[in-house]
Amino acid sequence: MPNKIVLHSYWRSSSSYRVRLALGAKGLHAELVSVNLLTNAQQTPEYAAISPTAYVPALTIDGETFVESMAIMELLEELHPEPALLPSDPRSRAHVRALCEIINAGIQPLQNLNVIRKVSSEGPAQKAWMQHFIAKGLHAFEARLAAIEARGARGPFAFGATFGLADCLLVPQVYAARRNDVDLHAMPRILRAIEASKNLPFVLAAHPDAQPDAVH
Ligand SMILES: N[C@@H](CCC(=O)N[C@@H](CS)C(=O)NCC(=O)O)C(=O)O
């Protein structure tokens, strides 16, 4: 019998979007439970019983809950090795994980709702903060793609010829960059990877606008 998978998520959450992409890449279906970040549903005692982090996503497999999107995606990779999201050799895996961390540790925490609310109220200062840290991180990501390419791993995806773990982070991060009007024109490798991904059926299905809790 297939596992029962439940994803606690929010349509515009980039960390939730990552997990939707990883699930979709592996052909896995999850039931979605919406946690409305705008009404602070992530801070309720009901959600704390699911995840004490007060963050989405949380993934429940047959009643066991997992938190932290990187750990969740690595778990999916180990439980369902094909199609692989990570390359097979250790050095390449380290390069892919580093690309992931540039976004996971270097950008996303700084654009997080509860962080930016502490920094400033909504307005130009908040937007400038977002643009600064997203652009800084994505420029580093682009530079790493150039270094990896020089080592022989060409695109069109973030690492080589197939959609992988780094793309699971890049696609949502570029979505957030575009929402914040970050200038991406000097990032040709990132744009190439986005172009290669954008019409894959599971990428279309994972898009925030395609989620049942999307507000248009
Ligand atoms: N490191 C966590 C980060 C999760 C996270 O920051 N989620 C955001 C949405 S993308 C959230 O729930 N924010 C709620 C808040 O800031 O109050 C992960 O990768 O799962």
Side-chain angles (χ1 to χ4, degrees):
M1 202 170 88
N3 301 113
K4 179 174 164 57
I5 308 179
V6 179
L7 177 63
H8 300 265
S9 61
Y10 179 64
W11 65 295
R12 270 195 167 151
S13 145
S14 66
S15 309
S16 304
Y17 192 177
R18 296 172 187 170
V19 174
R20 291 197 299 268
L21 287 165
L23 286 163
K26 292 189 176 288
L28 297 169
H29 172 74
E31 194 179 294
L32 298 182
V33 174
S34 177
V35 181
N36 189 341
L37 301 188
L38 296 186
T39 59
N40 293 326
Q42 73 280 23
Q43 292 168 12
T44 59
E46 292 75 29
Y47 189 68
I50 295 162
S51 176
T53 64
Y55 289 139
V56 287
L59 190 81
T60 303
I61 303 179
D62 296 336
E64 183 176 3
T65 299
F66 301 90
V67 298
E68 290 293 333
S69 63
M70 289 305 300
I72 292 170
M73 292 188 290
E74 294 260 7
L75 173 68
L76 294 175
E77 178 77 350
E78 289 181 21
L79 293 177
H80 304 275
E82 297 298 334
L85 291 174
L86 281 166
S88 54
D89 75 291
R91 288 176 186 226
S92 297
R93 290 162 90 91
H95 288 309
V96 171
R97 287 184 171 121
L99 288 172
C100 294
E101 290 305 331
I102 289 173
I103 292 173
N104 181 53
I107 307 178
Q108 191 276 335
L110 294 163
Q111 72 183 20
N112 210 355
L113 206 55
N114 72 108
V115 173
I116 57 168
R117 278 176 179 158
K118 284 265 184 220
V119 174
S120 69
S121 50
E122 221 170 309
Q126 197 179 85
K127 189 160 182 182
W129 166 282
M130 299 281 265
Q131 287 180 332
H132 172 79
F133 286 108
I134 295 173
K136 179 173 180 272
L138 287 180
H139 277 297
F141 195 102
E142 176 73 23
R144 284 304 300 165
L145 291 186
I148 288 166
E149 211 171 273
R151 201 181 147 263
R154 302 206 178 276
F157 294 94
F159 193 93
T162 53
F163 184 96
L165 197 62
D167 299 289
C168 289
L169 282 92
L170 183 63
V171 168
Q173 192 54 63
V174 167
Y175 168 77
R178 287 183 166 146
R179 279 184 67 207
N180 286 284
D181 302 317
V182 174
D183 183 1
L184 301 173
H185 86 270
M187 305 180 194
R189 294 170 185 82
I190 287 178
L191 293 175
R192 180 200 63 202
I194 294 298
E195 190 60 31
S197 307
K198 75 175 189 197
N199 290 324
L200 296 173
F202 68 87
V203 173
L204 291 170
H207 193 279
D209 292 345
Q211 303 317 302
D213 57 344
V215 178
H216 299 286

